[in-house]
Amino acid sequence: MTTLALKLKIVIKKTLVFLISKTMPGVAHALAKKKKRGSDAELMRCALSFSRDPVLAANYMLLNISSPERDLWGAITSLDERRDPAYDFIIKNRVLIDNAELRFKCDIKQLLSKSENIPLEIFCSLVEEYERLNTTKVGRKQLAGMLVDLCTSKLEVCDVLNALQRLGVGRDSLKESQKVKLLSRFTWGGNIELFKALYSCFYPALSELGKLKIDLVRSSLIYENGKPASYYEKRFVGLPYQISAHYLSNIAPLFKEIDASNDYRDIRFEKDRLRELRCYILDFIVKGKPCAYIRLGDGECYGFVDNNYVDSQGVARQELHWWGELLTPAHREQLRSEFLSALCSANILGVPTVFRLIKDSKLHYPDDYPVNGLISRLCCVMSGAAPFLPDKKIVEDQSNLFLFNADFLVGLFDAAERVCVISGLKSELVTQWAPEPKKLKCIEIPTHRLLRNEHAGAISETILPYVYKEYVNEIKSIAGPGMVFLVSAGFIGKIFVSAAAERGAVALDVGQYLVTAVR
């Protein structure tokens, strides 16, 4: 390292400590005392996290002390990974960032976080802005990669090839992860002929894990009967990765005790079994009996924290991700206790299966699954759910995305005396979507952090953990035999499902399906 570079590094670190000292003197003191370790990006993350105005702090670092843009971007990315509120502040106020390249990256990051697709026109305008940016060769390559990620993730699949052409990127030059991402978006339906064309183009060059991911998509899309979960499980455990061996030794045995008559983990491939499960639910409505369908995704690790797969930092991450703030320990434990009690009421329980591990394992670093990471969160839920599996019908956690469709929803409304939808969506949008609005009652709840600023999200001045008991009381006051509850409320929604079933209703954890359908 040159003398000039070393001096610059010292100036940067001293300035960061000064910025932190404005609001967190204790942190500044600790940083000043600690020996040199870690990266400048990590120090910048601390400065941004504890700053009263993270955008102002970012501009100061860029303009006054010439902090490298790449390090500052690394700090912002780290804030996002930790679900730090400073990240939300930066994204919300990104128009005030002085550096055009950094502002452009924040624009893309914000679009990638949206739960809905973006129009082709918006993407093309971003390409035009990209072409006007004055940046280095390395910077331009990074921006192009981010645009390709946005293209393969958030454009309508029918627009992707035209968008790549507009960007000057051939489909053969896509990274493996981008090819797999694009093909994976066909999982829950789409243009089969386009999928087949892309499949033929991409598949031969994929790694074994990549091929397994896409074979799973292909079977889901085309209904290739005769390939049950065991077929994909066998291929997954045969991969030369630690996560495969870990699953075989520690996770798979937990599912061995599921009775065959209750095992519905294959219904994404088996139309007859899927129809059978739908009839099972409808029968409860017709007979006026209670039924609870509850799903456990990776976020439900919040209720199964074991300090092995997920620890206290993972708990904080989930609270910040869902609600944007941390709860008190007592409040947290109350939620966990009620969540675990709710699981006992489930007739149908959705749990992560080998399908999720196949889908979410990293292509380039398949054995990189740190504590609190996605794969660890899934393993935590698989392990934690094991005691609740007996005597329940078991489906995969994302079964809501194919169990519910327009025809089944019509059947639910026809069979029910009334239907109550509990979600963070605006009631008028739910009413427009409902097959029989006259039977509908909507209960708007404080929505997920990521939906707050979207057009579909209900407006609220508080967060759900502070008021959920009020909704539990309302649910109990109206629930009864012959009534159906469709619940899209995340972790706390499991408590709502249980409360409705307790009073004789059929309560279904529809989750993300409702958000997608209503839009």
Side-chain angles (χ1 to χ4, degrees):
M1 180 180 290
T2 66
T3 302
L4 179 61
L6 182 59
K7 288 181 177 179
L8 180 58
K9 183 179 283 277
I10 292 171
V11 169
I12 291 173
K13 290 184 178 180
K14 286 183 177 179
T15 304
L16 293 175
V17 171
F18 170 78
L19 288 170
I20 294 173
S21 68
K22 292 295 184 181
T23 53
M24 297 291 291
V27 174
H29 179 67
L31 285 174
K33 288 180 63 178
K34 84 173 187 177
K35 296 180 180 179
K36 174 187 172 184
R37 65 182 184 184
S39 66
D40 290 331
E42 183 63 13
L43 285 173
M44 290 179 182
R45 180 193 66 76
C46 291
L48 296 174
S49 180
F50 295 115
S51 172
R52 289 193 183 95
D53 187 331
V55 172
L56 184 63
N59 285 338
Y60 183 86
M61 285 185 270
L62 284 167
L63 301 177
N64 292 64
I65 56 175
S66 301
S67 298
E69 182 274 336
R70 65 178 183 276
D71 286 347
L72 190 52
W73 178 244
I76 293 173
T77 301
S78 181
L79 290 173
D80 180 29
E81 291 170 353
R82 294 166 180 260
R83 301 301 188 263
D84 193 308
Y87 172 79
D88 291 341
F89 184 95
I90 291 170
I91 293 299
K92 183 178 180 180
N93 298 281
R94 62 189 182 279
V95 68
L96 300 177
I97 296 174
D98 291 332
N99 182 279
E101 184 175 340
L102 190 62
R103 189 168 60 245
F104 185 75
K105 289 179 178 179
C106 288
D107 285 339
I108 297 177
K109 192 84 167 161
Q110 188 269 339
L111 290 171
L112 282 169
S113 71
K114 294 174 72 68
S115 56
E116 55 191 5
N117 290 337
I118 64 170
L120 180 61
E121 294 75 18
I122 290 179
F123 181 82
C124 289
S125 67
L126 286 171
V127 174
E128 292 174 0
E129 185 177 351
Y130 159 77
E131 292 170 341
R132 292 193 298 268
L133 280 174
N134 181 22
T135 184
T136 64
K137 184 177 181 180
V138 173
R140 186 161 295 280
K141 183 177 180 180
Q142 184 184 23
L143 294 177
M146 292 182 69
L147 283 170
V148 173
D149 285 339
L150 182 65
C151 174
T152 54
S153 300
K154 291 298 178 181
L155 283 180
E156 296 290 343
V157 290
C158 58
D159 291 330
V160 169
L161 295 182
N162 288 335
L164 289 174
Q165 186 177 23
R166 172 66 183 84
L167 187 58
V169 175
R171 62 185 180 183
D172 292 336
S173 63
L174 295 179
K175 296 185 294 186
E176 181 179 27
S177 59
Q178 293 165 339
K179 294 176 181 178
V180 168
K181 178 63 178 179
L182 177 57
L183 288 171
S184 295
R185 294 179 63 200
F186 289 87
T187 301
W188 312 116
N191 185 322
I192 294 179
E193 294 307 314
L194 177 58
F195 173 83
K196 288 179 176 179
L198 293 173
Y199 177 92
S200 299
C201 177
F202 295 155
Y203 189 84
L206 297 180
S207 65
E208 287 305 309
L209 177 56
K211 289 179 178 178
L212 178 55
K213 287 174 179 282
I214 299 311
D215 283 342
L216 183 60
V217 174
R218 188 170 186 268
S219 295
S220 304
L221 182 64
I222 304 174
Y223 277 104
E224 290 187 343
N225 291 318
K227 293 185 177 180
S230 57
Y231 167 79
Y232 297 96
E233 184 177 63
K234 183 177 180 180
R235 287 181 62 183
F236 181 73
V237 299
L239 295 172
Y241 304 131
Q242 292 178 22
I243 183 59
S244 300
H246 179 80
Y247 171 80
L248 180 62
S249 300
N250 299 285
I251 304 298
L254 302 175
F255 294 88
K256 296 297 184 183
E257 301 304 317
I258 300 174
D259 187 270
S261 64
N262 286 331
D263 192 351
Y264 286 79
R265 288 177 293 166
D266 292 350
I267 59 172
R268 69 158 71 189
F269 313 123
E270 299 183 3
K271 289 185 177 180
D272 291 341
R273 292 281 279 171
L274 179 58
R275 188 180 302 112
E276 181 181 309
L277 188 63
R278 287 170 176 161
C279 290
Y280 174 80
I281 294 171
L282 290 170
D283 193 52
F284 278 100
I285 304 172
V286 173
K287 293 180 178 178
K289 293 183 177 181
C291 179
Y293 163 68
I294 293 176
R295 299 174 305 101
L296 308 175
D298 64 281
E300 275 61 56
C301 67
Y302 184 78
F304 298 117
V305 173
D306 56 5
N307 291 311
N308 178 24
Y309 297 116
V310 175
D311 60 20
S312 59
Q313 290 187 1
V315 170
R317 179 199 176 278
Q318 289 304 132
E319 291 178 353
L320 292 172
H321 177 63
W322 290 329
W323 306 309
E325 60 184 84
L326 299 177
L327 305 182
T328 65
H331 200 159
R332 187 177 297 142
E333 287 307 313
Q334 179 68 27
L335 285 177
R336 285 181 185 161
S337 176
E338 294 187 36
F339 163 77
L340 294 173
S341 295
L343 299 189
C344 297
S345 70
N347 303 78
I348 308 169
L349 188 63
V351 295
T353 69
V354 71
F355 299 147
R356 279 297 303 270
L357 295 181
I358 292 170
K359 172 181 173 289
D360 292 320
S361 291
K362 297 179 182 179
L363 284 164
H364 299 301
Y365 307 102
D367 281 328
D368 180 18
Y369 52 101
V371 172
N372 303 323
L374 176 55
I375 296 298
S376 290
R377 299 198 300 271
L378 290 171
C379 289
C380 179
V381 174
M382 289 176 172
S383 178
F388 299 93
L389 299 180
D391 303 320
K392 293 177 172 58
K393 296 195 181 299
I394 305 303
V395 295
E396 58 173 300
D397 63 316
Q398 295 188 330
S399 54
N400 59 318
L401 300 180
F402 49 85
L403 175 61
F404 297 95
N405 61 16
D407 291 338
F408 185 45
L409 263 295
V410 169
L412 290 173
F413 272 81
D414 283 345
E417 294 180 9
R418 292 191 71 195
V419 177
C420 179
V421 173
I422 304 173
S423 75
L425 298 167
K426 293 177 180 176
S427 296
E428 56 266 31
L429 297 178
V430 176
T431 302
Q432 293 170 11
W433 158 84
E436 295 186 57
K438 290 182 179 179
K439 287 187 175 182
L440 180 68
K441 175 179 175 58
C442 293
I443 297 179
E444 286 187 9
I445 59 173
T447 194
H448 188 292
R449 176 181 65 89
L450 296 179
L451 270 178
R452 289 176 191 167
N453 296 320
E454 294 195 13
H455 78 281
I459 299 174
S460 176
E461 298 299 322
T462 187
I463 61 173
L464 188 55
Y466 296 153
V467 293
Y468 79 98
K469 289 186 178 181
E470 298 174 16
Y471 293 105
V472 169
N473 291 335
E474 182 177 0
I475 290 166
K476 289 182 176 181
S477 71
I478 63 175
M483 190 168 183
V484 171
F485 284 76
L486 303 178
V487 182
S488 178
F491 181 84
I492 294 177
K494 322 310 175 189
I495 300 172
F496 295 161
V497 168
S498 178
E502 180 184 316
R503 294 302 174 95
V506 170
L508 308 173
D509 181 10
V510 295
Q512 183 63 30
Y513 166 79
L514 182 69
V515 178
T516 303
V518 166
R519 286 173 172 165

